[in-house]
Amino acid sequence: MEAAIAQRFQYPSWIDWREFERKLPRGSLRYPQRAKEEKRFRGLAFAHLQPERRNRSLSSEVSCSADNSSALLEAGSVYPFDEDLILKRKAEEVKPYLNGRAMYLVGMMGSGKTTVGKLMSKALGYSFLDCDTLIEEAMNGTSVAEIFEHHGESLFREKETDALKKLSSMYQVVVSTGGGAVIRPINWKYMHKGISIWLDVPLEALAHRIAAVGTNSRPLLHDESGDAYTVALKRLSTIWDERSEAYTNANARVSLENIAAKRGYKDVSDLTPTEIAIEAFEQVLSFLKNEETMEIPDGDL
């Protein structure tokens, strides 16, 4: 099992760190942000290999100094977890299958579409575009909140469809859409010219995120009074009931609960945006490979 896991990430189940470092292109190895902050290298041990450590930490920490950089990483199955490097490799694996097609991130408000989208676009070498920003520019700089307040949601939805129509003719772009972009069937017609990716985040996690930053920029939330978390969760639940079925039209689903379970994390808030982006590429690759298989005539198999 350990060998299979190591093979998946193209690392052996044990590593001489100096040897590993020499094999990489100069400048290609970068520590993940959490490691940089703590000034030490982290190896990530899978929870199912070391269940007794789950409550304490998933990461087996190994000091990485000049004196002990060749230390054997051993704690069950441990591999160097350079998130940036893995993300780049996943992007390179997906890119030939994409053939330049655009990618559209959909999901509830606060699901991280912009953050994850920027990571994916950078890894692919694509441009990143935010649909809400394009709408604001088309409205001479009027913010989304102001459009809702002064012109109503119906006008905003019309402008949103106009923006998606223009985007549908573009290639090599990653697009972050608004949470309600999924409710109009015509929008799916435009998004399905590319690849659509649904970031599926538990409502409780969304409510915590939104409550932490405030609801002023969320026109469907900020008019209600009361405890920020309770208000957000209540309104999100209503919105979810209205949109949940529409999200299933996406080509690929990225479930944060599933990622957290695979990593052995107790909460989706422990996930980094890069880990989510890696999973997004994996799900997109799975979809594209299935799509390619379906397009091959039976006689050619």
Side-chain angles (χ1 to χ4, degrees):
M1 181 180 292
E2 290 88 345
I5 294 169
Q7 184 178 11
R8 178 184 175 194
F9 288 91
Q10 301 181 349
Y11 299 129
S13 56
W14 64 270
I15 291 176
D16 181 306
W17 180 247
R18 268 198 291 255
E19 182 65 21
F20 174 80
E21 194 172 29
R22 278 198 297 269
K23 291 181 180 180
L24 290 172
R26 183 176 298 275
S28 66
L29 185 64
R30 289 167 289 174
Y31 299 135
Q33 186 61 35
R34 285 177 292 190
K36 291 178 181 176
E37 292 172 353
E38 297 178 9
K39 303 295 185 181
R40 57 194 174 188
F41 176 76
R42 283 181 179 268
L44 182 65
F46 281 100
H48 65 270
L49 295 178
Q50 293 190 308
E52 71 278 6
R53 298 193 179 186
R54 179 178 295 187
N55 291 335
R56 180 177 63 84
S57 174
L58 279 179
S59 299
S60 295
E61 299 172 1
V62 182
S63 175
C64 188
S65 65
D67 295 332
N68 62 8
S69 61
S70 62
L72 184 66
L73 302 180
E74 51 183 5
S77 176
V78 182
Y79 60 88
F81 194 63
D82 184 336
E83 292 179 339
D84 291 340
L85 182 59
I86 295 172
L87 179 64
K88 185 63 178 177
R89 286 179 173 174
K90 279 295 174 185
E92 291 171 352
E93 190 177 358
V94 170
K95 198 169 184 177
Y97 290 91
L98 278 174
N99 198 27
R101 279 182 288 180
M103 302 176 75
Y104 298 86
L105 292 169
V106 302
M108 294 280 284
M109 64 179 78
S111 58
K113 300 183 292 292
T114 297
T115 301
V116 174
K118 288 180 177 179
L119 289 171
M120 296 179 72
S121 65
K122 182 178 179 181
L124 286 167
Y126 282 15
S127 298
F128 174 80
L129 295 171
D130 185 291
C131 194
D132 283 355
T133 300
L134 296 178
I135 296 169
E136 291 174 341
E137 291 174 354
M139 294 290 290
N140 298 316
T142 305
S143 70
V144 171
E146 290 172 333
I147 295 172
F148 269 77
E149 181 180 356
H150 299 298
H151 304 284
E153 183 176 356
S154 60
L155 177 66
F156 175 82
R157 297 303 172 196
E158 290 175 9
K159 295 296 183 181
E160 185 173 55
T161 297
D162 290 343
L164 289 170
K165 182 179 181 180
K166 293 177 181 177
L167 289 165
S168 68
S169 64
M170 300 177 68
Y171 290 85
Q172 296 189 358
V173 295
V174 176
V175 180
S176 171
T177 68
V182 299
I183 61 179
R184 281 190 167 190
I186 186 65
N187 292 347
W188 283 109
K189 175 186 175 181
Y190 297 135
M191 289 190 288
H192 278 160
K193 291 185 178 182
I195 307 299
S196 51
I197 307 160
W198 170 26
L199 298 187
D200 185 7
V201 184
L203 296 183
E204 294 80 6
L206 292 176
H208 278 298
R209 291 180 184 179
I210 293 170
V213 300
T215 59
N216 289 337
S217 63
R218 309 286 181 180
L220 295 180
L221 296 180
H222 78 273
D223 288 337
E224 300 187 35
S225 60
D227 170 72
Y229 171 78
T230 303
V231 168
L233 182 59
K234 180 181 177 180
R235 185 68 181 114
L236 286 169
S237 297
T238 300
I239 294 172
W240 172 252
D241 290 340
E242 298 169 353
R243 300 176 182 173
S244 57
E245 186 174 351
Y247 286 124
T248 62
N249 288 314
N251 300 128
R253 172 177 174 253
V254 179
S255 167
L256 268 65
E257 287 185 326
N258 289 349
I259 308 172
K262 286 195 295 185
R263 297 280 188 247
Y265 298 161
K266 290 183 177 180
D267 195 282
V268 298
S269 63
D270 294 329
L271 293 167
T272 66
T274 304
E275 286 175 309
I276 298 168
I278 291 169
E279 178 70 12
F281 278 135
E282 289 182 351
Q283 295 301 322
V284 168
L285 183 62
S286 177
F287 167 76
L288 292 173
K289 285 183 175 180
N290 289 336
E291 181 185 58
E292 186 178 70
T293 300
M294 292 175 66
E295 290 176 352
I296 299 175
D298 292 341
D300 295 338
L301 292 176

